[in-house]
Amino acid sequence: MRPTIVLLSPLSDHRELVARLRHAGSYCEGPIFDRLERGEDVFGVDVSGDVLDEFEEEEIAEISERLGEFGAVLLEYPTASAVRELLTETVRGMRGLLDTNHGELVEFADVLSRFRIDPSWDWRVTPAE
């Protein structure tokens, strides 16, 4: 399986996020993952929210505290640079959290800020101490 992230957004923004993803390239629905093609890059997109079954109660409580009622999108991506470009386009101006699947929940605005400060930021790599 390729690397994944989870996009968590308040229900008020969730539909818009899903719509942006569907318009971010060539999009077709699939049995498990939908397929989003952007140039040479292919993403798997799951908008069912089933990924939340993998979250612990404490994580759900923290996210609910920060966002209220929320929806989730599981995004499978080919490379960090490809997903950076996609996120830069799709989460701008939206409220939500990026679950990096590496122990961080990062506000969308902070994700975009990190991309501006360090265009090569890769949440999968632990910084040297």
Side-chain angles (χ1 to χ4, degrees):
M1 182 175 190
R2 296 184 310 165
T4 59
I5 56 173
V6 181
L7 304 175
L8 305 154
S9 56
L11 288 183
S12 59
D13 290 348
H14 186 68
R15 261 195 194 151
E16 176 64 22
L17 177 60
V18 170
R20 288 181 184 189
L21 287 169
R22 287 187 172 150
H23 290 97
S26 175
Y27 193 97
C28 62
E29 294 183 7
I32 298 173
F33 277 98
D34 295 347
R35 182 179 172 98
L36 170 62
E37 294 180 23
R38 289 172 52 93
E40 300 292 317
D41 298 316
V42 178
F43 298 85
V45 183
D46 178 4
V47 298
S48 70
D50 290 348
V51 69
L52 294 175
D53 294 341
E54 298 175 22
F55 283 64
E56 295 179 14
E57 285 183 37
E58 299 83 27
E59 292 174 304
I60 296 289
E62 178 186 350
I63 296 164
S64 294
E65 186 176 305
R66 292 172 72 177
L67 299 178
E69 286 188 78
F70 64 94
V73 175
L74 176 62
L75 188 63
E76 182 185 68
Y77 59 94
T79 65
S81 61
V83 79
R84 267 194 301 275
E85 289 177 23
L86 178 63
L87 292 176
T88 298
E89 182 179 315
T90 55
V91 304
R92 185 175 315 281
M94 300 197 77
R95 214 166 65 87
L97 300 169
L98 165 67
D99 179 344
T100 65
N101 282 332
H102 289 272
E104 278 191 282
L105 284 175
V106 187
E107 297 272 346
F108 287 170
D110 293 338
V111 169
L112 296 175
S113 178
R114 280 180 159 173
F115 289 160
R116 279 191 302 279
I117 293 166
D118 180 7
S120 64
W121 173 56
D122 187 340
W123 48 89
R124 301 169 300 173
V125 179
T126 305
E129 299 193 20

